[in-house]
Amino acid sequence: MYPPTYNLRIEFFQPFEYMYLILKIFKKKLSGCNLSFLFNLLNYAFLICLGLIVGIYSLWKARQGIGDTDTAFFLEVIDNTLRSGLPTTFAVRAYLNIAPYLDMAVAQYCSSDFSAVMDSSPANILLGHANFIVYPLSVISYFFGPEFTAAVANTFSFVGLPLVAYVYLRKTKVPSYIGFLFMIALCAHPAWRISAEGWFYFDRMFMPLALFYALTLHGAIASRHELTGLRMLGTALIVIVGASIHERAALLLLMFSLSSLILYVGAPKRNIRFVLVVSLSLCVYLSVYLLFQKNIDNQAVYKSFYSFDTIIENVFQPGLIKLIYFNLIFFSLAIVFQWRVALLALIMLLPNIIVTMHGLEKDGWFTHYHSFYFPFIVYAGLIGIVSLSEWCQRERNESVYQWLCRLCPSGFLILVACAMCFQNPYGKIIRWDFEYINEGLMGSLIDLYVVPSQFSSNLYEAARADKLVALIHPTASVAQTPPFNTWKLLKNKNLVSVFPVGLGRVNYLLLYFEKNEDNLIQFRINSLSKDYREMQKCITEKVWTAGYKEELRVDNMMLLRRAE
């Protein structure tokens, strides 16, 4: 009689066999209730809770003006549009006034008369960007105010994205528990979790709209599902609203539409005609708008393409590795199963790779620069997980091996979520680190609602701003050093400039300071020059020479008033 042979495969799978039998018994016991419906309900409850969390935090952030000049710009322009019918803002004018001094040589900088360069006329934002969405937002503001409107817009942006993703997964018969894990992985991406804690922008509203458009176009062009008249009308409205958010949003919609037509052939002619009409409409819209646009940022971007060295410098910023790392992981399944979808996502990511605004397009997650490409990354991630789920469910037998295979999508999404959370989102070093799990929205929520109030940095920042602004006379002019709660100054009817613009002319200075090696106060300035310290010294002397006196000092911030 032969001795028994050792079957490694049986030994390895035996624990899983037991688990599988337990799950079958559990499933049989619960056969009377609809598990799919229950999981579905729990997932929508999760989205409702997410909406409440984002909405409540956004409302608090808007009321406190957290987010410096960008938040102030968003709130002020909605308020001004409501009052005057024109989307004007003093916050943007303050930026336009300081812009020429950011790269100025030290000799010219220190000899400048900053009191003579303060343009106090409000700037029309439509000359800079096509933010036509401000008009419907101002209608909401008429009933609820700009702060509540900002909270609604932010909630729509960050909750609408996982909502669209989950509805699509359920529509494609992906199990609801996989849909939940996908939402978790999506919310763990720094373009969601850090951006949701960041500042207010119109651009963020593009995310759920772009994802909806990308998925609709995928069904129409890649999957060749003929579009009905009602679906065409709904898609056209999505395109109109999306294009009204920003001209770059319109450009990316155009790029995605044409790229889809090139990469996929054989779609119904009715669908192709519709996409061509949408593309032509976007071309006309962009052409007409660019005739009227006057934007110094765009001019700098265009000039950067005239030099090969500048292009290389733009691309190889320190944050490039993290930009590629986080996004490549998210749509890696699309590379395996749907290479055309992965290529579309890469095309949408390309502008962030070749253009830079001081590296913020790479790993400046709290800014709006990631709002344009991110929905297309989510789109590629969705198609990838749907493809993996379909591949895992091809065999219909009830074997344990098939059961293990069906765990692949869940396991992959858990790994993606961990790769997002346990990684330093900044810089060029890739290293797993548990320190960064609270980076972004989670950290702010803990700081605001869990940490004792005396240790909360958010509450401290808000209280400090209230204390300083309370001493500033309404309607007075103020030159301040960002970051600060600029919205509080605008609500106080103050004319705001960015220091040192207005120095010697404005009534108040609201400045950060530090002490040098001689224990003398040096005021911070806004400059990108390598001669920063020398500029800082000469500007500090100008402050005292202009007759400003200290009114209040809170930690490293000082309020000064000009002697009459």
Side-chain angles (χ1 to χ4, degrees), residues 486-553:
T486 309
W487 175 238
K488 289 181 180 290
L489 293 171
L490 294 174
K491 285 200 295 184
N492 200 39
K493 306 301 180 185
N494 296 124
L495 179 62
V496 179
S497 64
V498 178
F499 182 77
V501 171
L503 175 59
R505 177 178 171 184
V506 297
N507 305 113
Y508 294 90
L509 299 178
L510 195 51
L511 309 177
Y512 289 97
F513 69 91
E514 56 198 22
K515 292 188 177 181
N516 61 15
E517 59 274 8
D518 298 323
N519 204 35
L520 297 175
I521 286 176
Q522 300 286 297
F523 294 112
R524 290 188 199 172
I525 59 173
N526 292 277
S527 175
L528 303 173
S529 172
K530 61 181 180 180
D531 299 311
Y532 177 86
R533 291 299 178 190
E534 189 174 345
M535 292 177 169
Q536 191 181 30
K537 183 179 178 180
C538 75
I539 288 298
T540 301
E541 292 174 358
K542 282 178 178 284
V543 169
W544 302 128
T545 304
Y548 288 94
K549 304 295 183 183
E550 180 180 339
E551 289 277 300
L552 179 65
R553 185 185 303 191

Side-chain angles (χ1 to χ4, degrees), residues 92-103 109 114 117 497-501 526-527:
V92 170
R93 177 61 65 193
Y95 165 74
L96 295 174
N97 286 339
I98 191 64
Y101 297 92
L102 297 178
D103 295 308
Y109 189 91
F114 294 102
V117 297
S497 64
V498 178
F499 182 77
V501 171
N526 292 277
S527 175

Side-chain angles (χ1 to χ4, degrees), residues 7-46:
N7 192 326
L8 179 62
R9 187 168 181 269
I10 292 176
E11 290 291 328
F12 177 78
F13 282 112
Q14 195 169 29
F16 296 103
E17 294 274 7
Y18 294 139
M19 291 173 61
Y20 178 64
L21 289 172
I22 293 170
L23 284 174
K24 283 190 73 176
I25 295 170
F26 181 74
K27 183 178 179 182
K28 187 176 181 180
K29 293 288 185 182
L30 294 176
S31 59
C33 74
N34 193 331
L35 281 178
S36 178
F37 173 78
L38 180 61
F39 281 127
N40 223 16
L41 198 62
L42 290 173
N43 286 337
Y44 282 113
F46 166 78

